[in-house]
Amino acid sequence: MCLFVPKYDVVDAQGNKIYHIHPDTCVGGLCVSCRCDGGKGKCCRVPFVIRNPGTLEPIATTANSDVSQVDALWTGWANECCRKKDAYHLA
């Protein structure tokens, strides 16, 4: 894993790791792997996959077999450069 790829740990009140959250990577772990689906409202996004902290395997959602994730949505140049507007999608 690269130092420049964002990684987060979710801990409980005792400091035990519950989840490890980080995006999929490319180029041998050096770059964040973006998704550009072209769908309405999700043109370009960075999915942060929620993982088991011990195995780093993705955790599946209870509703289906998809992985649990937080998507940081691209909101356009004006919002990214000039405003403090963040958009996320939880799945």
Side-chain angles (χ1 to χ4, degrees):
M1 293 185 135
C2 181
L3 295 174
F4 303 111
V5 175
K7 300 171 269 307
Y8 305 96
D9 287 321
V10 178
V11 296
D12 62 13
Q14 290 76 31
N16 301 317
K17 289 183 184 178
I18 299 173
Y19 302 113
H20 181 75
I21 302 172
H22 71 84
D24 289 331
T25 58
C26 58
V27 191
L30 296 176
C31 298
V32 173
S33 181
C34 298
R35 304 282 186 255
C36 295
D37 299 331
K40 188 175 184 179
K42 289 187 178 180
C43 180
C44 190
R45 58 193 174 94
V46 178
F48 285 74
V49 179
I50 301 172
R51 302 171 188 272
N52 179 313
T55 63
L56 299 181
E57 291 296 319
I59 296 175
T61 61
T62 56
N64 53 35
S65 61
D66 291 338
V67 297
S68 300
Q69 62 186 6
V70 178
D71 287 340
L73 301 176
W74 172 257
T75 58
W77 284 109
N79 286 324
E80 296 292 329
C81 297
C82 304
R83 300 182 190 110
K84 293 224 177 225
K85 180 180 178 185
D86 293 324
Y88 299 98
H89 175 254
L90 303 173

